[in-house]
Amino acid sequence: MMDIEEIRRIIPHRPPMLLVDRVTELVPRRRLVGSLTVTGDRPLPMSLLLESWGQAALVLIRHDRPMPDVLTGGVPVAGVFEHIRFGRPVQPGETVEHHVTMNRLVADTAFVTGESVVGSTVVLRVGRLVGAMRTVQSLRASLDAAARAPRPDPGSQADPRSPAQLAAPVAR
C-alpha cells in the first residue's frame, strides 16, 4: 500500500533512522500495519524496535497531514510510553510487523496502542503512546528557558531536608 518513498513524504525521519520500510494496511484515523526488515549482522536493539513502532504510529497519525520537514511541518514528540513489554529480539533478516491502533486524536495530540510481531510471536506490546506535534520555535523557547534556569551548586550534594521530610507523602 505504501513504500518507503511514500513514507518519507509523510514523516521527517531519514535513513539511517527511518525504521519503517512499508505500510501494508491503513485505515485512516483507526489502524495501521507497517513493517521493517532488519538488516545487518546484529539483532535490532529494543530501543530501535520501540522507535520503529513509534514511527509506524506517526505514519498513522500524520498520513493525512504530511510533515516531511520539521522546520516547517512541526516536530513529533513522544510524550508518554506506558506499559511497554518486550519479547525476544528481532534477528537480522526477520521482518517485524507493527500493528498500531489510534484510540483518540485531540487537536495535535494522539493516543495510540499496539504491538509488533515476527510471524506469530509478539516481540513488543505498547499499552499507550501519547504523542504530539510541536513547532520548532516552541521547542527552542523551552530549551532556552531551561538553559537560563538556576542550576544547583555541584559542590552541594546534601539535601537540606530531613529524612522524615524526604519520606513524607507529597501533597497533591
Side-chain angles (χ1 to χ4, degrees):
M1 173 176 213
M2 201 181 289
D3 66 13
I4 199 162
E5 292 307 315
E6 292 173 281
I7 293 167
R8 287 176 63 151
R9 286 193 283 275
I10 296 171
I11 65 176
H13 303 78
R14 297 294 177 261
M17 285 306 296
L18 178 57
L19 299 174
V20 180
D21 294 337
R22 70 184 153 276
V23 171
T24 55
E25 179 183 340
L26 174 64
V27 177
R29 298 187 182 237
R30 294 231 178 214
R31 67 179 180 275
L32 172 138
V33 177
S35 62
L36 170 70
T37 299
V38 178
T39 59
D41 58 355
R42 296 183 180 176
L44 184 67
M46 295 300 186
S47 58
L48 294 183
L49 175 61
L50 187 58
E51 171 70 23
S52 181
W53 184 90
Q55 289 181 20
L58 188 58
V59 172
L60 173 62
I61 295 164
R62 299 299 298 193
H63 78 279
D64 59 343
R65 297 167 291 151
M67 39 148 283
D69 180 3
V70 296
L71 295 177
T72 59
V75 179
V77 178
V80 176
F81 273 103
E82 291 183 320
H83 308 291
I84 305 300
R85 299 285 181 259
F86 291 104
R88 71 166 180 80
V90 181
Q91 300 298 321
E94 292 183 321
T95 298
V96 60
E97 189 174 81
H98 303 299
H99 298 261
V100 183
T101 302
M102 184 180 299
N103 303 109
R104 191 169 180 198
L105 181 62
V106 179
D108 68 347
T109 303
F111 299 79
V112 293
T113 59
E115 66 183 17
S116 298
V117 297
V118 173
S120 61
T121 303
V122 176
V123 295
L124 172 69
R125 286 192 197 279
V126 178
R128 180 168 63 165
L129 162 63
V130 180
M133 295 300 298
R134 296 294 179 256
T135 64
V136 169
Q137 294 79 11
S138 69
L139 294 175
R140 282 187 181 143
S142 295
L143 290 173
D144 291 345
R148 288 190 303 272
R151 305 249 186 242
D153 177 9
S156 166
Q157 296 181 11
D159 192 314
R161 296 174 290 172
S162 71
Q165 290 171 316
L166 292 171
V170 176
R172 295 192 192 263

